[in-house]
Amino acid sequence: MATAVCPGSFDPVTVGHVDIIRRARKMFDHVIVAVLVNPTKNPSFSLEERIGLLKRATKEIDGLEIVGFDGLLADYARQKNAHIIVKGVRNITDFDSEMQMARINQGIEPELETLLLPARAEFEHFSSTMAREMIRYGQPL
């Protein structure tokens, strides 16, 4: 069974995140959606809230495991016997950042591959940061 990890802060989850998760699930038998606990960030939503939002947003997608994690992603993937990380990229800035992280992860765990999925055109302009701003000012998403 091929397992992939789809990591992120998901603060909050967006339609773009759900699209990447759905597409990853079509490629892999099992997808672990790993919600990052990052002590250097001050999330708008608690870990439990982010996991709950993800579960609601992805309830129609079978074969998912939604969990929180902290530590190094490469170590987490190794613990879960996953050899693929799936990340979405919206633009060249995302691509550059994700490529750097992929190289670091592969340096830690040489068998770990990163699959970068380009965002669909209708989702590439929308980020979690934008969603937080819309929520803060009471605007519809």
Side-chain angles (χ1 to χ4, degrees):
M1 180 193 306
T3 298
V5 177
C6 191
S9 59
F10 303 104
D11 186 38
V13 62
T14 67
V15 291
H17 291 136
V18 174
D19 182 61
I20 295 295
I21 293 165
R22 182 176 288 113
R23 290 163 59 196
R25 179 57 187 92
K26 287 179 181 177
M27 291 183 264
F28 301 99
D29 299 317
H30 182 71
V31 174
I32 301 169
V33 181
V35 184
L36 176 64
V37 175
N38 186 342
T40 64
K41 289 189 175 183
N42 187 20
S44 296
F45 296 90
S46 71
L47 177 63
E48 294 75 22
E49 289 172 319
R50 290 180 281 152
I51 289 172
L53 290 168
L54 267 163
K55 285 181 177 179
R56 284 195 296 278
T58 60
K59 66 183 175 212
E60 283 110 29
I61 306 171
D62 293 327
L64 297 181
E65 179 182 351
I66 301 174
V67 297
F69 88 100
D70 62 359
L72 294 175
L73 180 57
D75 290 340
Y76 182 78
R78 184 184 316 119
Q79 291 168 9
K80 293 295 191 173
N81 200 30
H83 301 284
I84 303 287
I85 293 172
V86 178
K87 299 285 298 217
V89 291
R90 293 171 295 140
N91 52 43
I92 195 69
T93 303
D94 285 355
F95 182 84
D96 284 343
S97 174
E98 295 299 342
M99 280 297 295
Q100 289 175 25
M101 285 191 272
R103 298 287 185 244
I104 291 168
N105 287 329
Q106 203 165 45
I108 296 167
E109 182 58 43
E111 296 300 313
L112 187 59
E113 297 290 346
T114 299
L115 174 62
L116 300 178
L117 290 178
R120 294 189 191 278
E122 62 266 33
F123 304 136
E124 70 185 11
H125 69 283
F126 202 73
S127 67
S128 289
T129 301
M130 184 182 293
R132 284 192 304 274
E133 286 297 303
M134 301 282 284
I135 291 166
R136 180 175 295 124
Y137 293 107
Q139 295 299 311
L141 298 177

Short mmCIF file of all heavy atoms in Angstrom, two decimals, residues 58-117:
data_model
loop_
_atom_site.label_atom_id
_atom_site.label_comp_id
_atom_site.label_asym_id
_atom_site.label_seq_id
_atom_site.Cartn_x
_atom_site.Cartn_y
_atom_site.Cartn_z
N THR A 58 -13.06 17.44 4.30
CA THR A 58 -12.65 16.27 3.49
C THR A 58 -13.49 15.04 3.78
O THR A 58 -13.09 13.93 3.41
CB THR A 58 -11.16 15.94 3.76
OG1 THR A 58 -10.99 15.63 5.14
CG2 THR A 58 -10.25 17.08 3.35
N LYS A 59 -14.65 15.22 4.39
CA LYS A 59 -15.44 14.07 4.83
C LYS A 59 -15.85 13.14 3.69
O LYS A 59 -16.08 11.96 3.92
CB LYS A 59 -16.67 14.53 5.62
CG LYS A 59 -17.69 15.30 4.82
CD LYS A 59 -18.82 15.78 5.68
CE LYS A 59 -19.74 16.66 4.87
NZ LYS A 59 -20.36 17.69 5.66
N GLU A 60 -15.91 13.62 2.46
CA GLU A 60 -16.28 12.77 1.33
C GLU A 60 -15.09 12.04 0.71
O GLU A 60 -15.26 11.27 -0.24
CB GLU A 60 -16.98 13.59 0.24
CG GLU A 60 -18.42 13.92 0.58
CD GLU A 60 -18.59 15.41 0.88
OE1 GLU A 60 -17.82 16.20 0.33
OE2 GLU A 60 -19.50 15.74 1.65
N ILE A 61 -13.89 12.26 1.22
CA ILE A 61 -12.70 11.63 0.65
C ILE A 61 -12.30 10.45 1.54
O ILE A 61 -11.90 10.64 2.69
CB ILE A 61 -11.53 12.63 0.55
CG1 ILE A 61 -11.94 13.89 -0.23
CG2 ILE A 61 -10.33 11.96 -0.12
CD1 ILE A 61 -10.91 15.01 -0.20
N ASP A 62 -12.43 9.24 1.00
CA ASP A 62 -12.03 8.04 1.74
C ASP A 62 -10.52 7.89 1.71
O ASP A 62 -9.84 8.42 0.84
CB ASP A 62 -12.67 6.79 1.12
CG ASP A 62 -14.18 6.78 1.28
OD1 ASP A 62 -14.67 7.28 2.29
OD2 ASP A 62 -14.86 6.24 0.38
N GLY A 63 -10.00 7.11 2.64
CA GLY A 63 -8.58 6.78 2.63
C GLY A 63 -7.67 7.83 3.21
O GLY A 63 -6.46 7.82 2.94
N LEU A 64 -8.24 8.74 4.00
CA LEU A 64 -7.44 9.79 4.63
C LEU A 64 -7.27 9.50 6.11
O LEU A 64 -8.16 8.96 6.76
CB LEU A 64 -8.11 11.16 4.51
CG LEU A 64 -8.32 11.76 3.13
CD1 LEU A 64 -8.96 13.13 3.26
CD2 LEU A 64 -7.02 11.84 2.36
N GLU A 65 -6.15 9.92 6.63
CA GLU A 65 -5.90 9.94 8.06
C GLU A 65 -5.48 11.37 8.38
O GLU A 65 -4.53 11.88 7.78
CB GLU A 65 -4.78 8.96 8.39
CG GLU A 65 -4.39 8.90 9.84
CD GLU A 65 -3.25 7.94 10.10
OE1 GLU A 65 -2.85 7.19 9.18
OE2 GLU A 65 -2.74 7.95 11.23
N ILE A 66 -6.19 12.04 9.26
CA ILE A 66 -5.88 13.43 9.60
C ILE A 66 -5.36 13.47 11.02
O ILE A 66 -6.07 13.08 11.96
CB ILE A 66 -7.12 14.34 9.42
CG1 ILE A 66 -7.61 14.25 7.96
CG2 ILE A 66 -6.80 15.77 9.82
CD1 ILE A 66 -8.89 14.98 7.68
N VAL A 67 -4.11 13.92 11.16
CA VAL A 67 -3.44 13.89 12.45
C VAL A 67 -2.61 15.16 12.64
O VAL A 67 -2.22 15.80 11.68
CB VAL A 67 -2.51 12.67 12.57
CG1 VAL A 67 -3.28 11.37 12.51
CG2 VAL A 67 -1.43 12.68 11.51
N GLY A 68 -2.33 15.48 13.90
CA GLY A 68 -1.39 16.55 14.22
C GLY A 68 -0.01 15.94 14.39
O GLY A 68 0.13 14.77 14.74
N PHE A 69 1.02 16.73 14.11
CA PHE A 69 2.38 16.26 14.35
C PHE A 69 3.29 17.45 14.62
O PHE A 69 3.00 18.56 14.22
CB PHE A 69 2.91 15.41 13.18
CG PHE A 69 3.59 16.21 12.09
CD1 PHE A 69 4.98 16.27 12.03
CD2 PHE A 69 2.85 16.88 11.14
CE1 PHE A 69 5.60 17.01 11.03
CE2 PHE A 69 3.46 17.60 10.13
CZ PHE A 69 4.84 17.67 10.09
N ASP A 70 4.36 17.17 15.35
CA ASP A 70 5.40 18.18 15.49
C ASP A 70 6.74 17.50 15.28
O ASP A 70 6.83 16.28 15.23
CB ASP A 70 5.33 18.91 16.84
CG ASP A 70 5.53 17.98 18.02
OD1 ASP A 70 5.70 16.78 17.84
OD2 ASP A 70 5.51 18.49 19.15
N GLY A 71 7.74 18.27 15.05
CA GLY A 71 9.05 17.70 14.74
C GLY A 71 9.36 17.83 13.28
O GLY A 71 8.74 18.61 12.55
N LEU A 72 10.33 17.05 12.83
CA LEU A 72 10.76 17.10 11.44
C LEU A 72 9.87 16.24 10.56
O LEU A 72 9.58 15.09 10.90
CB LEU A 72 12.21 16.63 11.32
CG LEU A 72 13.26 17.50 11.99
CD1 LEU A 72 14.63 16.85 11.89
CD2 LEU A 72 13.28 18.89 11.35
N LEU A 73 9.47 16.79 9.45
CA LEU A 73 8.60 16.07 8.52
C LEU A 73 9.25 14.77 8.02
O LEU A 73 8.58 13.75 7.92
CB LEU A 73 8.23 16.98 7.34
CG LEU A 73 7.33 16.38 6.28
CD1 LEU A 73 6.01 15.88 6.88
CD2 LEU A 73 7.07 17.43 5.20
N ALA A 74 10.52 14.81 7.72
CA ALA A 74 11.20 13.61 7.23
C ALA A 74 11.16 12.50 8.28
O ALA A 74 10.93 11.33 7.94
CB ALA A 74 12.65 13.93 6.85
N ASP A 75 11.35 12.85 9.53
CA ASP A 75 11.26 11.86 10.61
C ASP A 75 9.85 11.31 10.73
O ASP A 75 9.66 10.10 10.90
CB ASP A 75 11.68 12.47 11.96
CG ASP A 75 13.17 12.76 12.04
OD1 ASP A 75 13.95 12.17 11.25
OD2 ASP A 75 13.55 13.57 12.89
N TYR A 76 8.88 12.19 10.62
CA TYR A 76 7.47 11.76 10.71
C TYR A 76 7.13 10.80 9.58
O TYR A 76 6.51 9.75 9.79
CB TYR A 76 6.54 12.97 10.71
CG TYR A 76 5.10 12.58 10.84
CD1 TYR A 76 4.56 12.24 12.07
CD2 TYR A 76 4.27 12.53 9.72
CE1 TYR A 76 3.24 11.85 12.19
CE2 TYR A 76 2.95 12.14 9.84
CZ TYR A 76 2.43 11.81 11.07
OH TYR A 76 1.12 11.41 11.19
N ALA A 77 7.54 11.15 8.36
CA ALA A 77 7.27 10.28 7.20
C ALA A 77 7.91 8.91 7.41
O ALA A 77 7.29 7.87 7.12
CB ALA A 77 7.77 10.94 5.92
N ARG A 78 9.13 8.89 7.92
CA ARG A 78 9.81 7.61 8.18
C ARG A 78 9.03 6.79 9.19
O ARG A 78 8.82 5.58 8.99
CB ARG A 78 11.22 7.86 8.69
CG ARG A 78 12.01 6.57 8.90
CD ARG A 78 13.40 6.77 9.51
NE ARG A 78 14.15 7.87 8.95
CZ ARG A 78 14.57 8.93 9.66
NH1 ARG A 78 14.29 9.04 10.94
NH2 ARG A 78 15.28 9.87 9.08
N GLN A 79 8.55 7.42 10.26
CA GLN A 79 7.78 6.71 11.29
C GLN A 79 6.51 6.09 10.70
O GLN A 79 6.08 5.03 11.13
CB GLN A 79 7.38 7.67 12.42
CG GLN A 79 8.50 8.14 13.28
CD GLN A 79 8.07 9.29 14.17
OE1 GLN A 79 6.89 9.62 14.26
NE2 GLN A 79 9.03 9.91 14.84
N LYS A 80 5.91 6.77 9.73
CA LYS A 80 4.66 6.30 9.11
C LYS A 80 4.90 5.41 7.89
O LYS A 80 3.96 5.02 7.22
CB LYS A 80 3.79 7.50 8.72
CG LYS A 80 3.27 8.27 9.90
CD LYS A 80 2.33 7.41 10.69
CE LYS A 80 1.56 8.16 11.72
NZ LYS A 80 0.55 7.33 12.36
N ASN A 81 6.17 5.12 7.60
CA ASN A 81 6.53 4.31 6.44
C ASN A 81 6.00 4.91 5.14
O ASN A 81 5.56 4.20 4.23
CB ASN A 81 6.07 2.86 6.61
CG ASN A 81 6.81 1.91 5.70
OD1 ASN A 81 7.97 2.15 5.37
ND2 ASN A 81 6.16 0.85 5.28
N ALA A 82 6.04 6.23 5.07
CA ALA A 82 5.62 6.96 3.87
C ALA A 82 6.87 7.43 3.14
O ALA A 82 7.80 7.93 3.77
CB ALA A 82 4.74 8.15 4.24
N HIS A 83 6.88 7.27 1.83
CA HIS A 83 8.06 7.65 1.05
C HIS A 83 7.79 8.84 0.13
O HIS A 83 8.66 9.22 -0.64
CB HIS A 83 8.56 6.45 0.24
CG HIS A 83 8.93 5.29 1.10
ND1 HIS A 83 10.08 5.25 1.82
CD2 HIS A 83 8.26 4.16 1.38
CE1 HIS A 83 10.13 4.13 2.51
NE2 HIS A 83 9.03 3.45 2.26
N ILE A 84 6.58 9.39 0.24
CA ILE A 84 6.18 10.50 -0.62
C ILE A 84 5.59 11.61 0.23
O ILE A 84 4.73 11.37 1.09
CB ILE A 84 5.11 10.08 -1.66
CG1 ILE A 84 5.59 8.91 -2.51
CG2 ILE A 84 4.67 11.26 -2.51
CD1 ILE A 84 6.63 9.26 -3.53
N ILE A 85 6.02 12.83 -0.02
CA ILE A 85 5.40 14.03 0.54
C ILE A 85 4.71 14.73 -0.63
O ILE A 85 5.32 14.91 -1.69
CB ILE A 85 6.43 14.96 1.19
CG1 ILE A 85 7.04 14.29 2.42
CG2 ILE A 85 5.79 16.30 1.56
CD1 ILE A 85 8.20 15.05 3.01
N VAL A 86 3.46 15.11 -0.44
CA VAL A 86 2.72 15.83 -1.48
C VAL A 86 2.46 17.25 -0.99
O VAL A 86 1.91 17.45 0.10
CB VAL A 86 1.38 15.14 -1.80
CG1 VAL A 86 0.61 15.94 -2.85
CG2 VAL A 86 1.59 13.71 -2.26
N LYS A 87 2.88 18.21 -1.80
CA LYS A 87 2.68 19.62 -1.48
C LYS A 87 2.08 20.33 -2.68
O LYS A 87 2.41 20.01 -3.82
CB LYS A 87 4.01 20.30 -1.12
CG LYS A 87 4.73 19.72 0.08
CD LYS A 87 4.08 20.12 1.39
CE LYS A 87 4.12 21.58 1.59
NZ LYS A 87 4.33 22.13 2.85
N GLY A 88 1.23 21.30 -2.41
CA GLY A 88 0.70 22.14 -3.47
C GLY A 88 1.54 23.39 -3.62
O GLY A 88 2.08 23.89 -2.64
N VAL A 89 1.66 23.87 -4.84
CA VAL A 89 2.37 25.12 -5.10
C VAL A 89 1.49 26.02 -5.95
O VAL A 89 0.89 25.57 -6.92
CB VAL A 89 3.75 24.89 -5.76
CG1 VAL A 89 4.71 24.22 -4.79
CG2 VAL A 89 3.65 24.08 -7.03
N ARG A 90 1.40 27.29 -5.54
CA ARG A 90 0.56 28.25 -6.25
C ARG A 90 1.33 29.10 -7.25
O ARG A 90 0.78 29.61 -8.20
CB ARG A 90 -0.13 29.18 -5.25
CG ARG A 90 -1.14 28.48 -4.38
CD ARG A 90 -1.65 29.37 -3.26
NE ARG A 90 -0.52 29.66 -2.38
CZ ARG A 90 -0.29 30.83 -1.82
NH1 ARG A 90 -1.11 31.84 -2.00
NH2 ARG A 90 0.76 31.02 -1.05
N ASN A 91 2.62 29.28 -7.00
CA ASN A 91 3.40 30.19 -7.83
C ASN A 91 4.88 29.85 -7.70
O ASN A 91 5.26 28.92 -6.99
CB ASN A 91 3.13 31.65 -7.42
CG ASN A 91 3.31 31.86 -5.92
OD1 ASN A 91 4.26 31.35 -5.32
ND2 ASN A 91 2.39 32.58 -5.30
N ILE A 92 5.72 30.61 -8.37
CA ILE A 92 7.16 30.33 -8.38
C ILE A 92 7.77 30.51 -6.99
O ILE A 92 8.71 29.81 -6.63
CB ILE A 92 7.89 31.18 -9.45
CG1 ILE A 92 9.30 30.63 -9.71
CG2 ILE A 92 7.93 32.63 -9.07
CD1 ILE A 92 9.32 29.30 -10.39
N THR A 93 7.24 31.42 -6.19
CA THR A 93 7.74 31.61 -4.83
C THR A 93 7.49 30.36 -4.00
O THR A 93 8.39 29.88 -3.29
CB THR A 93 7.08 32.83 -4.17
OG1 THR A 93 7.33 33.98 -4.99
CG2 THR A 93 7.60 33.08 -2.78
N ASP A 94 6.26 29.82 -4.08
CA ASP A 94 5.97 28.55 -3.39
C ASP A 94 6.90 27.46 -3.89
O ASP A 94 7.42 26.66 -3.10
CB ASP A 94 4.52 28.11 -3.65
CG ASP A 94 3.48 28.88 -2.87
OD1 ASP A 94 3.85 29.73 -2.03
OD2 ASP A 94 2.28 28.61 -3.09
N PHE A 95 7.10 27.39 -5.21
CA PHE A 95 7.94 26.34 -5.80
C PHE A 95 9.36 26.40 -5.24
O PHE A 95 9.91 25.38 -4.82
CB PHE A 95 7.96 26.46 -7.32
CG PHE A 95 8.77 25.39 -8.00
CD1 PHE A 95 8.22 24.15 -8.26
CD2 PHE A 95 10.09 25.63 -8.35
CE1 PHE A 95 8.98 23.16 -8.86
CE2 PHE A 95 10.85 24.64 -8.95
CZ PHE A 95 10.29 23.40 -9.21
N ASP A 96 9.94 27.60 -5.22
CA ASP A 96 11.31 27.75 -4.70
C ASP A 96 11.40 27.31 -3.24
O ASP A 96 12.32 26.58 -2.86
CB ASP A 96 11.78 29.20 -4.83
CG ASP A 96 12.16 29.58 -6.24
OD1 ASP A 96 12.38 28.68 -7.07
OD2 ASP A 96 12.25 30.79 -6.51
N SER A 97 10.45 27.75 -2.44
CA SER A 97 10.44 27.40 -1.02
C SER A 97 10.28 25.89 -0.82
O SER A 97 11.00 25.27 -0.02
CB SER A 97 9.31 28.16 -0.32
OG SER A 97 9.17 27.75 1.00
N GLU A 98 9.36 25.29 -1.54
CA GLU A 98 9.10 23.86 -1.42
C GLU A 98 10.27 23.03 -1.94
O GLU A 98 10.57 21.96 -1.40
CB GLU A 98 7.81 23.46 -2.12
CG GLU A 98 6.56 24.06 -1.51
CD GLU A 98 6.32 23.67 -0.06
OE1 GLU A 98 6.91 22.67 0.43
OE2 GLU A 98 5.54 24.35 0.61
N MET A 99 10.96 23.50 -2.98
CA MET A 99 12.14 22.80 -3.47
C MET A 99 13.23 22.78 -2.41
O MET A 99 13.90 21.76 -2.22
CB MET A 99 12.67 23.45 -4.76
CG MET A 99 11.90 23.06 -5.99
SD MET A 99 12.01 21.29 -6.36
CE MET A 99 13.75 21.12 -6.73
N GLN A 100 13.44 23.89 -1.73
CA GLN A 100 14.43 23.94 -0.66
C GLN A 100 14.08 22.95 0.44
O GLN A 100 14.94 22.20 0.93
CB GLN A 100 14.53 25.35 -0.08
CG GLN A 100 15.16 26.35 -1.01
CD GLN A 100 15.12 27.76 -0.44
OE1 GLN A 100 15.05 27.95 0.76
NE2 GLN A 100 15.18 28.74 -1.31
N MET A 101 12.81 22.91 0.82
CA MET A 101 12.39 21.97 1.87
C MET A 101 12.53 20.53 1.40
O MET A 101 12.92 19.65 2.18
CB MET A 101 10.96 22.27 2.30
CG MET A 101 10.87 23.50 3.18
SD MET A 101 9.28 23.69 3.95
CE MET A 101 8.42 24.62 2.70
N ALA A 102 12.23 20.28 0.13
CA ALA A 102 12.36 18.92 -0.41
C ALA A 102 13.82 18.46 -0.34
O ALA A 102 14.09 17.31 0.03
CB ALA A 102 11.86 18.88 -1.86
N ARG A 103 14.74 19.34 -0.66
CA ARG A 103 16.17 19.00 -0.60
C ARG A 103 16.60 18.70 0.84
O ARG A 103 17.36 17.77 1.09
CB ARG A 103 17.03 20.12 -1.18
CG ARG A 103 16.77 20.40 -2.63
CD ARG A 103 17.35 19.30 -3.51
NE ARG A 103 17.19 19.67 -4.90
CZ ARG A 103 16.45 18.99 -5.76
NH1 ARG A 103 15.80 17.93 -5.37
NH2 ARG A 103 16.36 19.36 -7.01
N ILE A 104 16.12 19.50 1.78
CA ILE A 104 16.45 19.27 3.19
C ILE A 104 15.88 17.93 3.64
O ILE A 104 16.58 17.13 4.27
CB ILE A 104 15.92 20.43 4.06
CG1 ILE A 104 16.71 21.70 3.77
CG2 ILE A 104 15.98 20.07 5.54
CD1 ILE A 104 16.11 22.97 4.34
N ASN A 105 14.60 17.68 3.33
CA ASN A 105 13.98 16.42 3.73
C ASN A 105 14.71 15.22 3.12
O ASN A 105 14.90 14.20 3.79
CB ASN A 105 12.50 16.40 3.34
CG ASN A 105 11.67 17.29 4.23
OD1 ASN A 105 11.98 17.48 5.41
ND2 ASN A 105 10.61 17.85 3.67
N GLN A 106 15.13 15.35 1.87
CA GLN A 106 15.83 14.24 1.21
C GLN A 106 17.23 14.05 1.81
O GLN A 106 17.74 12.94 1.85
CB GLN A 106 15.90 14.46 -0.29
CG GLN A 106 16.08 13.17 -1.06
CD GLN A 106 15.80 13.36 -2.52
OE1 GLN A 106 16.23 14.32 -3.12
NE2 GLN A 106 15.08 12.41 -3.10
N GLY A 107 17.81 15.13 2.31
CA GLY A 107 19.09 15.01 2.99
C GLY A 107 18.96 14.24 4.30
O GLY A 107 19.86 13.49 4.69
N ILE A 108 17.82 14.41 4.97
CA ILE A 108 17.56 13.69 6.23
C ILE A 108 17.16 12.25 5.94
O ILE A 108 17.60 11.33 6.62
CB ILE A 108 16.45 14.42 7.02
CG1 ILE A 108 16.93 15.81 7.44
CG2 ILE A 108 16.02 13.60 8.24
CD1 ILE A 108 15.81 16.70 7.96
N GLU A 109 16.30 12.07 4.94
CA GLU A 109 15.77 10.75 4.60
C GLU A 109 15.91 10.56 3.09
O GLU A 109 15.03 10.98 2.31
CB GLU A 109 14.30 10.65 5.02
CG GLU A 109 13.65 9.32 4.75
CD GLU A 109 14.36 8.15 5.42
OE1 GLU A 109 14.75 8.25 6.59
OE2 GLU A 109 14.52 7.13 4.74
N PRO A 110 17.03 9.96 2.62
CA PRO A 110 17.32 9.88 1.18
C PRO A 110 16.23 9.22 0.33
O PRO A 110 16.11 9.53 -0.85
CB PRO A 110 18.62 9.07 1.12
CG PRO A 110 19.26 9.33 2.45
CD PRO A 110 18.12 9.43 3.43
N GLU A 111 15.44 8.32 0.90
CA GLU A 111 14.40 7.63 0.13
C GLU A 111 13.11 8.44 0.03
O GLU A 111 12.16 8.02 -0.63
CB GLU A 111 14.10 6.27 0.75
CG GLU A 111 15.27 5.31 0.72
CD GLU A 111 15.75 5.02 -0.69
OE1 GLU A 111 14.90 4.74 -1.56
OE2 GLU A 111 16.97 5.10 -0.93
N LEU A 112 13.06 9.59 0.65
CA LEU A 112 11.85 10.41 0.69
C LEU A 112 11.78 11.30 -0.55
O LEU A 112 12.70 12.07 -0.84
CB LEU A 112 11.84 11.27 1.96
CG LEU A 112 10.59 12.06 2.26
CD1 LEU A 112 9.37 11.16 2.41
CD2 LEU A 112 10.79 12.85 3.56
N GLU A 113 10.68 11.17 -1.29
CA GLU A 113 10.46 12.00 -2.48
C GLU A 113 9.38 13.04 -2.18
O GLU A 113 8.50 12.81 -1.36
CB GLU A 113 9.98 11.13 -3.65
CG GLU A 113 10.99 10.11 -4.11
CD GLU A 113 12.21 10.71 -4.80
OE1 GLU A 113 12.16 11.91 -5.18
OE2 GLU A 113 13.20 9.99 -4.95
N THR A 114 9.47 14.18 -2.86
CA THR A 114 8.45 15.22 -2.73
C THR A 114 7.79 15.42 -4.08
O THR A 114 8.48 15.61 -5.09
CB THR A 114 9.06 16.54 -2.24
OG1 THR A 114 9.65 16.33 -0.95
CG2 THR A 114 8.00 17.63 -2.14
N LEU A 115 6.48 15.35 -4.09
CA LEU A 115 5.69 15.58 -5.29
C LEU A 115 5.04 16.95 -5.15
O LEU A 115 4.25 17.18 -4.22
CB LEU A 115 4.62 14.50 -5.43
CG LEU A 115 3.60 14.65 -6.55
CD1 LEU A 115 4.30 14.62 -7.91
CD2 LEU A 115 2.56 13.56 -6.46
N LEU A 116 5.38 17.87 -6.04
CA LEU A 116 4.81 19.21 -6.02
C LEU A 116 3.70 19.29 -7.05
O LEU A 116 3.94 19.12 -8.25
CB LEU A 116 5.89 20.26 -6.32
CG LEU A 116 7.07 20.29 -5.36
CD1 LEU A 116 8.10 21.32 -5.80
CD2 LEU A 116 6.61 20.54 -3.94
N LEU A 117 2.48 19.51 -6.56
CA LEU A 117 1.32 19.62 -7.45
C LEU A 117 0.98 21.08 -7.66
O LEU A 117 0.76 21.82 -6.70
CB LEU A 117 0.12 18.92 -6.83
CG LEU A 117 0.15 17.40 -6.75
CD1 LEU A 117 -1.11 16.89 -6.07
CD2 LEU A 117 0.28 16.80 -8.13
#
